[in-house]
Amino acid sequence: MATRGKWGSRMGFVLAAAGSAVGLGNIWKFPYITGVYGGGAFVLVYLGFILVVGLPIMISELIVGHRSEKNPIGAFQNLDGKKSIWQAAGWLGAASGFIILSFYSVVAGQAMAYIFKSFAGFSGSPDQIVAKFAELKTNPLLSIMWHTIFMGLVISIVIGGVKNGIEKWSKILMPALVVLLLGLTFYGVFFSDGGKTALAFMFKPDFSKLSSEAILSALGHAFFTLSLGMGAMITYGSYLGKKINLPRAALTVVFMDTIIALLAGIAIFALVFEYNMEPAAGPGLIFETLPVLFAQTGPFISVPFFLLLTFAALTSGISLLEVVVSYFIDEKGWSRLKSTLIMGGTIFFIGLLPALDKIQVMFKGKRQSFFDIFDFVSTNYMLPTGGLIIALFVGWKMKKNIIESENFNSKDWYYNAWRFILRFITPIAVIIIILHGLELI
Ligand code: TRP
């Protein structure tokens, strides 16, 4: 049987986990959905879910992985002592991984295309610059080409393994991303005319704008942005080996992820308001707005930005593939090379559907692309359902003494707070919101 990988250091693990969490979700998705759902009130609900749903489940996934040292499907069997219904979380997670990576790769491909557009420079009126994005998105050959290149990169890094692939890359790419983002935010707040409006838009809640779909999306996004609900953190926790303070590691990852999303939001909305653009533009937001600024600043800023966006997407994309790959390595005895090629290849083929904007089907009463459908279903239903099962497992099924051996002490206030929230608040919140989203209540 192939041997399992291991992280080289605790710091390497934390950066890889943060690398998984910080990705397109923070820089591409968070700003655009905040725009679509009206700003402040949405941000507040999202932050609430990060606290009562995200953080408790992050700790739970890491415990399940660290304790079992297994892939998400094997982990539940290992901890439960038998095959059981809990494994459903693992299977659902693997399915989510396929679907998410297949559309994730399409956006990452767009980011890569924009690296090259940046070299050439952006020019023309804001409207002309905005129109460039539609040209890319609706061009089938280009979309498939970039999707292929991105999947190729993800596959090569995952073949390199845990320490020499994932960890090595995360250690370089994560810090670089933070520095660049700080620069952009600094520009947005202090030098652009849109800074003040952006801060008010994001942090002054107007609850009359809060629809029930916004609440469902805030929940879904809390899972998506933290890489939760499909076992990515179970998998990363399983490569730890060493003893480590898991609650603290979880807190670090959640904190970094949230700060980066907020910074990206501020930086992007400052520009949106400076140039009187539409905050509710949708998924194209960063590809349409930022280039208007970049047209003036030149390639020195735009090339690094899209390069780092691509890197952030890479460190997340590899975690999506790694979940499925780890299952075949652990349970089927496949080599890393074989698992990665076969699973990565399958995801590549599934990804042809979301890559082709022209293929549309009826969904929820309107014609939609596979890109939109894959995103909606996986983020808003599959991840929360997977997360719910994980919360119930760790909250109600796992033995207390096992949990306490993972750096928790039953006398700590934060242990008791975590356990209470995980057992009662998290499941109830997730159930109500999913049922409401399905229009059952
Ligand atoms: N969290 C990543 C982002 O924000 C995406 C991601 C990576 C992910 N792994 C995941 C989402 C696992 C859900 C589950 O871009």
Side-chain angles (χ1 to χ4, degrees):
M1 206 178 96
T3 46
R4 302 191 92 239
K6 262 203 181 21
W7 305 115
S9 65
R10 291 184 178 88
M11 178 74 180
F13 154 73
V14 172
L15 280 180
S20 166
V22 175
L24 298 172
N26 305 62
I27 301 168
W28 160 73
K29 201 172 193 189
F30 173 72
Y32 106 66
I33 54 179
T34 299
V36 168
Y37 294 119
F42 173 82
V43 173
L44 207 63
V45 174
Y46 153 78
L47 291 175
F49 282 135
I50 293 286
L51 263 187
V52 301
V53 175
L55 182 60
I57 295 184
M58 172 77 77
I59 297 174
S60 307
E61 284 204 22
L62 291 176
I63 288 180
V64 167
H66 189 215
R67 193 67 197 191
S68 64
E69 303 201 326
K70 284 266 185 303
N71 67 87
I73 298 168
F76 291 98
Q77 185 176 345
N78 174 288
L79 293 176
D80 207 19
K82 56 182 184 301
K83 278 200 165 75
S84 65
I85 187 73
W86 297 105
Q87 272 176 291
W91 289 108
L92 186 68
S96 315
F98 272 77
I99 298 184
I100 296 177
L101 183 52
S102 78
F103 77 83
Y104 203 81
S105 172
V106 175
V107 186
Q110 292 164 351
M112 293 195 335
Y114 266 70
I115 301 174
F116 291 86
K117 285 191 196 297
S118 298
F119 273 118
F122 297 99
S123 57
S125 68
D127 282 350
Q128 286 168 323
I129 294 176
V130 168
K132 285 265 181 262
F133 180 64
E135 275 169 33
L136 169 69
K137 197 174 118 182
T138 54
N139 183 323
L141 268 183
L142 280 179
S143 296
I144 290 179
M145 180 186 89
W146 289 114
H147 162 64
T148 311
I149 297 178
F150 183 77
M151 282 307 298
L153 287 172
V154 169
I155 290 171
S156 349
I157 298 180
V158 172
I159 287 176
V162 175
K163 192 166 134 201
N164 295 321
I166 304 173
E167 181 172 349
K168 194 178 90 192
W169 282 86
S170 304
K171 271 185 176 158
I172 308 170
L173 303 179
M174 281 300 297
L177 175 74
V178 172
V179 172
L180 198 91
L181 200 59
L182 281 175
L184 276 177
T185 313
F186 195 75
Y187 171 86
V189 173
F190 296 106
F191 295 97
S192 93
D193 299 334
K196 270 214 186 80
T197 327
L199 290 172
F201 179 73
M202 281 182 60
F203 299 108
K204 272 217 186 111
D206 172 357
F207 286 98
S208 67
K209 287 188 185 157
L210 202 63
S211 61
S212 61
E213 189 179 311
I215 299 179
L216 178 65
S217 296
L219 175 78
H221 188 65
F223 281 99
F224 186 90
T225 190
L226 293 172
S227 302
L228 296 176
M230 64 153 288
M233 291 299 159
I234 296 181
T235 312
Y236 276 21
S238 78
Y239 297 139
L240 253 165
K242 304 191 171 94
K243 226 177 150 38
I244 177 174
N245 188 331
L246 285 181
R248 192 192 299 154
L251 198 63
T252 312
V253 174
V254 169
F255 182 76
M256 282 174 64
D257 187 82
T258 308
I259 291 292
I260 290 184
L262 294 176
L263 288 179
I266 296 169
I268 287 158
F269 284 118
L271 299 176
V272 168
F273 292 118
E274 180 175 4
Y275 292 97
N276 287 320
M277 292 197 266
E278 174 55 52
L285 189 68
I286 61 167
F287 298 105
E288 295 166 346
T289 52
L290 286 182
V292 175
L293 167 79
F294 294 155
Q296 291 162 29
T297 56
F300 292 111
I301 312 263
S302 54
V303 172
F305 178 80
F306 287 113
L307 203 61
L308 288 170
L309 186 61
T310 304
F311 289 154
L314 263 179
T315 53
S316 300
I318 52 189
S319 75
L320 285 158
L321 181 55
E322 181 66 23
V323 171
V324 196
V325 166
S326 70
Y327 168 74
F328 285 92
I329 296 180
D330 286 355
E331 311 289 326
K332 303 285 168 204
W334 288 12
S335 71
R336 175 164 282 274
L337 182 69
K338 176 175 165 191
S339 315
T340 312
L341 285 178
I342 294 182
M343 291 304 127
T346 312
I347 294 172
F348 164 76
F349 281 111
I350 302 177
L352 294 177
L353 283 172
L356 294 168
D357 194 60
K358 289 204 178 67
I359 310 182
Q360 300 197 335
V361 289
M362 287 303 284
F363 180 76
K364 288 185 66 184
K366 53 179 185 227
R367 287 185 70 76
Q368 299 201 41
S369 63
F370 274 94
F371 181 91
D372 292 333
I373 300 172
F374 278 14
D375 185 1
F376 186 81
V377 173
S378 59
T379 307
N380 293 348
Y381 295 112
M382 296 173 79
L383 296 179
T385 307
L388 175 66
I389 304 176
I390 295 165
L392 292 175
F393 183 81
V394 176
W396 295 92
K397 173 88 189 151
M398 245 175 116
K399 297 212 171 47
K400 257 182 108 167
N401 59 345
I402 298 190
I403 296 174
E404 283 168 23
S405 68
E406 296 290 342
N407 243 294
F408 266 131
N409 181 332
S410 60
K411 291 194 193 70
D412 290 340
W413 70 267
Y414 61 85
Y415 169 71
N416 291 301
W418 167 73
R419 200 167 150 83
F420 178 80
I421 294 176
L422 185 71
R423 295 178 68 149
F424 298 101
I425 317 252
T426 312
I428 293 173
V430 175
I431 290 172
I432 292 179
I433 291 159
I434 294 181
L435 290 180
H436 188 69
L438 293 170
E439 287 167 17
L440 294 175
I441 52 170

